Structures are given as structure tokens and as C-alpha cells.
């Protein structure tokens, strides 16, 4: 939940899919007012820069995105339901986002966005964060897109994050279907003040977790994780199927005195496969 999981895939592939649909349209041209995307995502290993909660929860996330195409503005809302070996599926949080996209398919493109988080409980590792604002910049080219991200995340203190990555979309078209495979590598860095509040608000196996030794390390801007993924998207008419296998290697995980077991549970290398099923449609009006 660094960002809403499916947004990056949507913005990369929405243009490709919709361009193909437009080729087959024979009706009177209409002006697009907005694109609406709704669907369901599943994350078998919910993590935040490779950091998980004590029970390594899974998440189910219904999501709605409304994109005002001519303006570049978009709005999203996602509800997060978590489950693990101890608890059944239960409501954990709601994430809302407003953003502005700019740029073209080649050259410089990006987005500016702001998120607001509403938590039902404090079990998620990032549950100390109340909101965040971010800037994404991409240099789009035929060899490898270069992506840069900066984020300010707000809790009792402000955390700052930065990411740099490379990706190379491979597009294949067959009839009305579009397949896109995007090998991606990202390095994430930032501060970790949010971990102090997480440790303070939670207990591990009923034992309060000490955070006496975390104060100094959480304020330092460190490498947080390496992440490698390969989103695979199949687009047919207005349906998107997205499978994202990935491998994340957390770095500089904050430790607490006498709690090495907590560290090993919350900061190990993870392999995951996130899944999304989405439906997209356009709101149009006739041109006169």
C-alpha cells in the first residue's frame, strides 16, 4: 500500500487498451468526459517497503478510479480488508487519493497526488501515517522508462521517501486483446519515523514492544528496499486482468532492543503475486 497497488498498472496500460478500442469504433465520435475503472485487487503478502505486520496479513481491496481525461485529474478510493492466520477477513482501512497526471507517451510524464488514510485498527505497519503527498516523474523512451518518486508522509513526525527505478513495457496485440509485460526494478529510500508509533501501538504475542533503541535510527534517511516485479496485463474490451509477481528485499529494518524475533518477522525477503480484476468504461457526450 505504498501507493494504491493497481494505479501504476492502470496508468501505463489504460492508454494502450483504449487506443485499441478506438480503432474499432464506427459510431458518431463522442467527447470523453471521464473514464471510470472499478475492480478488486488481492495482495497475498501485504507489505510496506518490505515490512509486514507480525502475522504477515493478506489484503483484499475493492477500488474505484475516476479519471477526467481532458483535465488530467483523477480521484480514487480503495477499501482494505485484511486476513491472516489469527483473524478472518475484516475491514482495516480506507485510502482516498486525488491527483493530476501530465505529460505524453514519449518524453517527460508524471503525476502529483495526495492520499488520506482512514484506519480501523493499528495492525498495518504504516498505520501511523495519516496521509501523504507525492510526485512521480518518468522519462518515457523506447529503451527503458526512468521513474523517480518523492513522497512526504505525515504522522506524529514527517517521513520522507524517494524511489528510483527502471521499467520496459513490452506490448503485444492480438485481435481485440492487448498483452503488456513490464519488467521493473526499483530502489526505495527514506526515513522510518512511522515505525516508532507502530511499535508503540502494538504488542507482539501480548508482550509490549520496546522502542527505546529506535529513536536514533528512524530519523536517518536510509535505503529501505530493493524491489523487482513484472506486471502482466491482459486487456480485452473493457476488462483488465493484472498479475504482478514481485520480489522485495527490505534493507535497514529498524530493530528494537531484545526483540530480534520481531525484526525477523517484519523484515524478511518476500516473493508475492498481486492480482487485480478491473472493468473500465468511458462517460461520453455527443459532439455537435
Amino acid at each position: 500500500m505504498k501507493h494504491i497497488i493497481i494505479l501504476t498498472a492502470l496508468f501505463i496500460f489504460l492508454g494502450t487498451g483504449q487506443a485499441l478500442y478506438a480503432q474499432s469504433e464506427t459510431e458518431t465520435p463522442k467527447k470523453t468526459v471521464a473514464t471510470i475503472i472499478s475492480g478488486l485487487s488481492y495482495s497475498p503478502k501485504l507489505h510496506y517497503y518490505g515490512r509486514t505486520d507480525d502475522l504477515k496479513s493478506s489484503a483484499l481491496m475493492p477500488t474505484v478510479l475516476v479519471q477526467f481525461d481532458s483535465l488530467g485529474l483523477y480521484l480514487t478510493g480503495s477499501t482494505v480488508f485484511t486476513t491472516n492466520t489469527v483473524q478472518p477477513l475484516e475491514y482495516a482501512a480506507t485510502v482516498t487519493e486525488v491527483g493530476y497526471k501530465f505529460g505524453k507517451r514519449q518524453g517527460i510524464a508524471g503525476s502529483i497526488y495526495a492520499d488520506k488514510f482512514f484506519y480501523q485498527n493499528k495492525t498495518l505497519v504504516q498505520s501511523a501515517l495519516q496521509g501523504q503527498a507525492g510526485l512521480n516523474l518518468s522519462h518515457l523512451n523506447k529503451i527503458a522508462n526512468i521513474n523517480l518518486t518523492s513522497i512526504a508522509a505525515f504522522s506524529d513526525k514527517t517521513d520522507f521517501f524517494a524511489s528510483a527505478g527502471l521499467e520496459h513495457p513490452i506490448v503485444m496485440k492480438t485481435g481485440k486483446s492487448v498483452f503488456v509485460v513490464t519488467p521493473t526494478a526499483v530502489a526505495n529510500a527514506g526515513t522510518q519515523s512511522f515505525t516508532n508509533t507502530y511499535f508503540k501501538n502494538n504488542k507482539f504475542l501480548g508482550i509490549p514492544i520496546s522502542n527505546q533503541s529506535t529513536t536514533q535510527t528512524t530519523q536517518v534517511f536510509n535505503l529501505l528496499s530493493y524491489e523487482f516485479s513484472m506486471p502482466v496485463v491482459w486487456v480485452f474490451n473493457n476488462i483488465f486482468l493484472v498479475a504482478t509477481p514481485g520480489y522485495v528485499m527490505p534493507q535497514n529494518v529498524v530493530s528494537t532492543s531484545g526483540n530480534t524475533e520481531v525484526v525477523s518477522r517484519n523484515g524478511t525477503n518476500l516473493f508475492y503475486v498481486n492480482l487485480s480484476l478491473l472493468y473500465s468504461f468511458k462517460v461520453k457526450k455527443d459532439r455537435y
Side-chain angles (χ1 to χ4, degrees):
M1 235 171 66
K2 296 188 296 295
H3 201 195
I4 298 178
I5 290 176
I6 62 173
L7 286 184
T8 301
L10 289 179
F11 291 148
I12 292 174
F13 310 118
L14 180 59
T16 302
Q18 295 301 328
L20 187 64
Y21 311 150
Q23 294 176 4
S24 62
E25 288 183 350
T26 57
E27 60 186 54
T28 303
K30 296 182 179 181
K31 182 179 179 180
T32 299
V33 177
T35 300
I36 299 176
I37 301 171
S38 61
L40 189 66
S41 295
Y42 173 68
S43 177
K45 296 180 180 178
L46 195 61
H47 71 90
Y48 190 69
Y49 297 111
R51 291 136 179 87
T52 66
D53 61 72
D54 298 329
L55 298 173
K56 296 185 178 179
S57 299
S58 301
L60 195 64
M61 290 164 281
T63 298
V64 175
L65 179 148
V66 180
Q67 177 177 291
F68 300 96
D69 301 298
S70 61
L71 300 176
L73 298 174
Y74 68 88
L75 302 169
T76 68
S78 292
T79 303
V80 183
F81 297 90
T82 59
T83 185
N84 50 52
T85 56
V86 174
Q87 66 184 30
L89 191 69
E90 70 171 11
Y91 168 67
T94 295
V95 181
T96 59
E97 177 168 313
V98 58
Y100 171 72
K101 298 197 300 106
F102 57 88
K104 300 180 179 180
R105 291 185 180 180
Q106 297 295 324
I108 301 298
S111 63
I112 302 171
Y113 66 90
D115 296 332
K116 177 63 178 174
F117 308 131
F118 304 91
Y119 296 100
Q120 174 67 19
N121 53 54
K122 301 296 183 180
T123 58
L124 298 177
V125 174
Q126 69 273 32
S127 59
L129 303 179
Q130 301 168 7
Q132 66 182 25
L135 170 65
N136 298 319
L137 289 176
S138 299
H139 180 256
L140 307 179
N141 58 85
K142 295 181 179 180
I143 300 175
N145 297 334
I146 302 171
N147 300 319
L148 301 173
T149 299
S150 60
I151 298 173
F154 311 107
S155 57
D156 293 341
K157 296 182 179 180
T158 301
D159 278 310
F160 295 97
F161 304 106
S163 300
L166 297 173
E167 65 179 19
H168 179 69
I170 302 169
V171 182
M172 297 165 282
K173 299 180 181 179
T174 304
K176 293 185 178 182
S177 296
V178 178
F179 290 90
V180 185
V181 180
T182 310
T184 304
V186 180
N188 301 299
T191 57
Q192 302 183 70
S193 296
F194 66 90
T195 56
N196 272 333
T197 305
Y198 174 74
F199 287 144
K200 182 174 63 178
N201 289 339
N202 288 275
K203 296 180 179 180
F204 181 69
L205 299 180
I207 303 172
I209 299 173
S210 169
N211 66 337
Q212 294 178 355
S213 64
T214 66
T215 303
Q216 298 300 320
T217 57
T218 58
Q219 297 301 309
V220 178
F221 194 88
N222 276 325
L223 180 66
L224 297 182
S225 67
Y226 296 107
E227 191 164 358
F228 304 91
S229 62
M230 191 170 64
V232 179
V233 179
W234 175 52
V235 184
F236 180 77
N237 289 334
N238 296 328
I239 298 173
F240 291 72
L241 291 177
V242 186
T244 306
Y247 188 73
V248 58
M249 298 181 293
Q251 309 292 312
N252 295 300
V253 177
V254 171
S255 61
T256 60
S257 58
N259 285 287
T260 56
E261 187 176 6
V262 175
V263 175
S264 65
R265 286 174 178 268
N266 289 359
T268 57
N269 294 354
L270 290 175
F271 174 77
Y272 60 86
V273 181
N274 294 334
L275 302 172
S276 296
L277 173 61
L278 310 165
Y279 179 76
S280 168
F281 65 94
K282 289 184 175 292
V283 179
K284 299 182 179 182
K285 67 177 181 180
D286 294 321
R287 291 178 178 174
Y288 297 101

